[in-house]
Every structure is written in C-alpha cells, then in structure tokens.
Amino acid sequence: MYDSTFKQLRMKYAYNLASQISEVINSEDWDERLQKILWPHSVEPDNYFSELITENIEKVNEPTKETLLHVLIRDIFNMEIGARLYHFNDEIYSEDTDFVEEFLEENFINILQFYNVAIPDYHEILERINNDYENDSINEDEYEKKIKEFAEELSSLIDLVEDNIVNETFYLLYYDKPFLFEFNNILSSYVEEQIGVVARCSLPEWLKRAVIFRDYGKCQECGWDLSGAYRRLEDRERHLDHMIPLIKGGTNDPTNFQLLCSVCNLEDKTEVIKPEYRIQTHW
Ligand SMILES: [Zn+2]
C-alpha cells in the first residue's frame, strides 16, 4: 500500500519548466530575463518579487508546504500559458487551418492528453468551424471568434493539471541547492526592504525529515555522515542551516534550509557561502 507521499510523477513538462526557471534565476541578468516572461502581463520583475514577499508574509515567517518557490513556479507556468494564448490570438488568420490545429495540439492538447484529461473531440470541432466558414455560414470575424473561444476553453482546462506540473517542477528544483540559494538571494533584498529581519521559528518535523532526506543525511559543508541521524542523533548534533541567514534577509521558507553538522554550523563565518550541487551517486 503506497502512502500519500509516495507519488507517481510524469516529468515531461516539469523538465522544461524547471530548466526555464533555473536559467532565469541563475543568470546575472535575471531581471531582464524575467522581464521577457512578464511583459505580456505588464508586471515589472522588481514589483513581482516585492509582491511575492508582501503577499506571502506567512510563508516568509514560517515554513509552509506550499513554499515561496511553488508560488513562483505557479506564476511562471500561468504566465507561460497566458502568453501562448496571447500569441495564438495574435497569429491566427482564417486561411491557415493547419496552423490552428498544430498550435492547439502543441500548446494545449498534448499537455492535457499527457495527464489523461478528458478533452472535447477537437478534430470534429475545428472541422465544423472550418466548414461553416467555407460554406459562408459564418464570416471571417465569426470564424476567428469561434476559434479563439475554443482555444480559451482548452487553455482553461490546463487548470486541472497545474498542481501536478507545479509539484513536479518543485521536486526537480528542490534538489538544486545552488538554484535555491540564488532564489533566496534574490528574495533577500526584498525581505530586507519590506520586512527587515525575519524572526527565528521552531521548525516542523516534516521539514526536518525532508531536508535530511534531500541532503542524503550528510553535512553539506564537510560531508560528515549524519545518516541514521533521524533516530540516533539529537537536534543539537544535526542542524538545519539557513543558507541565506535571517540577519541578511533570509526567510524561514523550506527552500532556504540545508543540513549541516553542529561543528560546521557553529563555525564563525564572515561570508555567506553558496552551496555546491552535490549528489549521492547510486553506485
Ligand atoms: Zn560539517
């Protein structure tokens, strides 16, 4: 019997979205890159992050399972879907029926079918609209209106798969600590500006388990093996470290923690160290 945390993942779309988001956050000109995603929605990157903090203060102050990164992934995914619809409405013209069908398949139908969402028989619907147009039952404007309405209907079905895609993308990105560090680093200046210093809070068991599990039970600085630590060691021996310290604009969001041994964590550090992407190889 599987428990609810042992999930089946369908990673196809998550890989694309995760690589798109990590390219933006990891680049030095992240604000320009984000601007390219945000422009159809008239949102400035600066305002976006500022609002991400102010609208999610509870996530900044205490760990929540729906993290600040979930919010970012969800927003970028929705903007991406919105942009697809925007381009479609911009490019559609009545003569090119192949374009319409290919565009809808590529941008909406393939995703829905991949997640087994029941969709209308689009071949039949498009054929009917085309026939009406060719028989002059509808004029060009009406043709475009019907096609756009159908595209809108398909894009709204994407809501049904949004949670899956967001959670799958989060799963991929949560293993990438240099990415998480950069994400929290970007957030830190907005946290300092909007909130100041976030207070330390007690960390829930689910988060401790998750970070120990994700970090292979090893201190992420010296590699000291803390595995089996969950039962044997006390909290004072394994530390959940804020990658961006609270004093420097760090948050209590689950994306800002890594596992350290007590020795590494208690060392006096003058600078904030970006973690490396380390994995435990399978053999
Ligand atoms: Zn250590």
Side-chain angles (χ1 to χ4, degrees), residues 60 184-185 187-192 196-198 244-251 256:
V60 172
N184 280 282
N185 200 22
L187 293 182
S188 66
S189 60
Y190 299 96
V191 171
E192 284 180 323
V197 177
V198 173
I244 304 286
L246 294 174
I247 193 78
K248 297 204 165 156
T251 73
N256 193 31

Short mmCIF file of all heavy atoms in Angstrom, two decimals, residues 60 184-185 187-192 196-198 244-251 256:
data_model
loop_
_atom_site.label_atom_id
_atom_site.label_comp_id
_atom_site.label_asym_id
_atom_site.label_seq_id
_atom_site.Cartn_x
_atom_site.Cartn_y
_atom_site.Cartn_z
N VAL A 60 7.05 33.62 4.51
CA VAL A 60 8.37 34.15 4.85
C VAL A 60 8.67 33.85 6.32
O VAL A 60 9.78 33.49 6.68
CB VAL A 60 8.41 35.68 4.60
CG1 VAL A 60 9.70 36.29 5.15
CG2 VAL A 60 8.24 35.98 3.12
N ASN A 184 16.77 32.43 -3.05
CA ASN A 184 16.67 33.10 -1.75
C ASN A 184 17.51 34.37 -1.68
O ASN A 184 17.19 35.31 -0.98
CB ASN A 184 17.06 32.13 -0.62
CG ASN A 184 15.90 31.21 -0.28
OD1 ASN A 184 14.97 31.61 0.40
ND2 ASN A 184 15.93 29.99 -0.81
N ASN A 185 18.60 34.36 -2.46
CA ASN A 185 19.45 35.55 -2.54
C ASN A 185 18.69 36.71 -3.19
O ASN A 185 18.75 37.85 -2.72
CB ASN A 185 20.70 35.19 -3.36
CG ASN A 185 21.83 36.15 -3.09
OD1 ASN A 185 21.85 36.81 -2.05
ND2 ASN A 185 22.75 36.25 -4.03
N LEU A 187 15.45 37.00 -3.25
CA LEU A 187 14.39 37.40 -2.30
C LEU A 187 14.92 38.28 -1.17
O LEU A 187 14.23 39.16 -0.67
CB LEU A 187 13.73 36.16 -1.68
CG LEU A 187 12.91 35.26 -2.59
CD1 LEU A 187 12.31 34.13 -1.76
CD2 LEU A 187 11.80 36.03 -3.30
N SER A 188 16.20 38.03 -0.78
CA SER A 188 16.71 38.65 0.46
C SER A 188 16.65 40.17 0.43
O SER A 188 16.32 40.79 1.44
CB SER A 188 18.13 38.16 0.78
OG SER A 188 19.02 38.62 -0.22
N SER A 189 16.96 40.78 -0.73
CA SER A 189 16.94 42.25 -0.72
C SER A 189 15.52 42.77 -0.56
O SER A 189 15.30 43.83 0.05
CB SER A 189 17.61 42.81 -1.98
OG SER A 189 16.92 42.36 -3.11
N TYR A 190 14.53 42.03 -1.07
CA TYR A 190 13.14 42.46 -0.91
C TYR A 190 12.66 42.21 0.52
O TYR A 190 11.87 42.97 1.06
CB TYR A 190 12.23 41.74 -1.93
CG TYR A 190 12.64 42.07 -3.34
CD1 TYR A 190 13.48 41.23 -4.05
CD2 TYR A 190 12.22 43.26 -3.94
CE1 TYR A 190 13.89 41.55 -5.33
CE2 TYR A 190 12.64 43.59 -5.21
CZ TYR A 190 13.47 42.73 -5.91
OH TYR A 190 13.89 43.06 -7.16
N VAL A 191 13.16 41.12 1.13
CA VAL A 191 12.80 40.86 2.53
C VAL A 191 13.34 41.98 3.41
O VAL A 191 12.63 42.53 4.25
CB VAL A 191 13.37 39.49 3.00
CG1 VAL A 191 13.20 39.32 4.51
CG2 VAL A 191 12.69 38.35 2.26
N GLU A 192 14.61 42.35 3.17
CA GLU A 192 15.21 43.43 3.97
C GLU A 192 14.43 44.72 3.80
O GLU A 192 14.19 45.44 4.76
CB GLU A 192 16.67 43.62 3.56
CG GLU A 192 17.57 42.55 4.13
CD GLU A 192 19.04 42.71 3.74
OE1 GLU A 192 19.30 43.13 2.59
OE2 GLU A 192 19.90 42.42 4.59
N GLY A 196 12.46 43.64 6.98
CA GLY A 196 13.60 43.74 7.90
C GLY A 196 14.11 42.35 8.21
O GLY A 196 14.20 41.52 7.30
N VAL A 197 14.39 42.08 9.49
CA VAL A 197 14.92 40.75 9.84
C VAL A 197 13.76 39.85 10.29
O VAL A 197 12.98 40.20 11.16
CB VAL A 197 15.98 40.86 10.96
CG1 VAL A 197 16.47 39.47 11.36
CG2 VAL A 197 17.15 41.71 10.49
N VAL A 198 13.68 38.68 9.65
CA VAL A 198 12.64 37.70 9.98
C VAL A 198 13.04 36.97 11.27
O VAL A 198 14.21 36.64 11.46
CB VAL A 198 12.47 36.69 8.82
CG1 VAL A 198 11.53 35.56 9.19
CG2 VAL A 198 12.02 37.40 7.56
N ILE A 244 20.68 31.49 3.33
CA ILE A 244 20.79 32.95 3.50
C ILE A 244 20.38 33.24 4.94
O ILE A 244 19.22 33.01 5.31
CB ILE A 244 19.85 33.71 2.52
CG1 ILE A 244 20.10 33.34 1.06
CG2 ILE A 244 19.97 35.23 2.76
CD1 ILE A 244 21.35 33.91 0.45
N PRO A 245 21.32 33.69 5.77
CA PRO A 245 20.99 33.91 7.19
C PRO A 245 19.85 34.91 7.36
O PRO A 245 19.69 35.81 6.52
CB PRO A 245 22.29 34.50 7.77
CG PRO A 245 23.36 34.19 6.77
CD PRO A 245 22.70 34.08 5.44
N LEU A 246 19.07 34.72 8.42
CA LEU A 246 17.94 35.63 8.67
C LEU A 246 18.41 37.08 8.74
O LEU A 246 17.76 37.98 8.24
CB LEU A 246 17.22 35.23 9.97
CG LEU A 246 16.52 33.86 9.94
CD1 LEU A 246 15.97 33.51 11.32
CD2 LEU A 246 15.41 33.84 8.89
N ILE A 247 19.57 37.26 9.32
CA ILE A 247 20.10 38.62 9.51
C ILE A 247 20.41 39.29 8.16
O ILE A 247 20.47 40.50 8.06
CB ILE A 247 21.37 38.56 10.43
CG1 ILE A 247 21.78 39.95 10.92
CG2 ILE A 247 22.53 37.88 9.78
CD1 ILE A 247 20.93 40.44 12.05
N LYS A 248 20.57 38.46 7.12
CA LYS A 248 20.85 39.02 5.79
C LYS A 248 19.67 38.92 4.84
O LYS A 248 19.81 38.81 3.62
CB LYS A 248 22.07 38.31 5.17
CG LYS A 248 23.31 38.55 6.00
CD LYS A 248 24.58 38.40 5.24
CE LYS A 248 25.72 39.00 6.05
NZ LYS A 248 27.03 38.47 5.71
N GLY A 249 18.47 38.89 5.39
CA GLY A 249 17.28 38.88 4.53
C GLY A 249 16.78 37.48 4.21
O GLY A 249 15.94 37.31 3.33
N GLY A 250 17.31 36.47 4.91
CA GLY A 250 16.83 35.10 4.69
C GLY A 250 15.42 34.91 5.24
O GLY A 250 14.97 35.68 6.08
N THR A 251 14.74 33.87 4.75
CA THR A 251 13.38 33.58 5.21
C THR A 251 13.36 32.20 5.89
O THR A 251 14.35 31.46 5.84
CB THR A 251 12.37 33.52 4.05
OG1 THR A 251 12.59 32.30 3.33
CG2 THR A 251 12.53 34.70 3.11
N ASN A 256 15.00 27.59 1.96
CA ASN A 256 16.20 28.28 2.45
C ASN A 256 17.01 27.45 3.44
O ASN A 256 17.86 27.98 4.13
CB ASN A 256 15.79 29.63 3.07
CG ASN A 256 16.99 30.54 3.33
OD1 ASN A 256 17.99 30.49 2.60
ND2 ASN A 256 16.93 31.37 4.36
#
